[in-house]
Amino acid sequence: MTQPLILLDTNIVLYFLGGRLANPLASGQYLVSVITEIELLSYPNLRPDEETQIIDFLNKISVVSIDSDIKKLTISLRKQYIAFFSLVKYSNNNE
């Protein structure tokens, strides 16, 4: 029987590596996106031991790339999301 694929986001990985998960991770094959990899390794105050821990973790799981279509759709959705919530914030500040 194959294990389920489980995509972890940046916060879950940080909690896992820091031993701060409320519950253990479910059994499965873990993946992170290339964006999560970038986020994990680009913290400005990352200590060398933390970087090593992250790299060791990433070497044990699969890092999934994104293709051009997914990238374009994500950019479009983020623009809409940011524009929408900027309007909501503006209207709430002017009440």
Side-chain angles (χ1 to χ4, degrees):
M1 185 172 176
T2 60
Q3 293 185 330
L5 298 176
I6 301 171
L7 182 66
L8 302 174
D9 77 347
T10 306
N11 289 334
I12 296 299
V13 174
L14 290 173
Y15 274 63
F16 173 75
L17 294 176
R20 297 182 297 151
L21 284 179
N23 298 307
L25 292 173
S27 179
Q29 181 182 349
Y30 295 106
L31 313 163
V32 295
S33 73
V34 68
I35 294 169
T36 294
E37 178 183 28
I38 291 166
E39 290 175 344
L40 289 169
L41 293 171
S42 64
Y43 283 102
N45 297 325
L46 194 63
R47 296 187 323 254
D49 63 310
E50 293 170 327
E51 183 175 5
T52 299
Q53 182 184 27
I54 292 168
I55 291 169
D56 289 345
F57 174 79
L58 293 171
N59 286 334
K60 294 175 186 170
I61 64 170
S62 298
V63 177
V64 180
S65 296
I66 56 174
D67 66 23
S68 181
D69 291 336
I70 293 173
K71 181 175 65 174
K72 288 176 187 174
L73 179 59
T74 302
I75 291 168
S76 174
L77 290 172
R78 281 187 56 86
K79 283 181 178 179
Q80 292 173 32
Y81 173 84
I82 292 168
F84 174 77
F85 282 100
S86 293
L87 288 174
V88 169
K89 182 179 179 184
Y90 176 77
S91 67
N92 286 341
N93 288 338
N94 289 321
E95 290 179 357

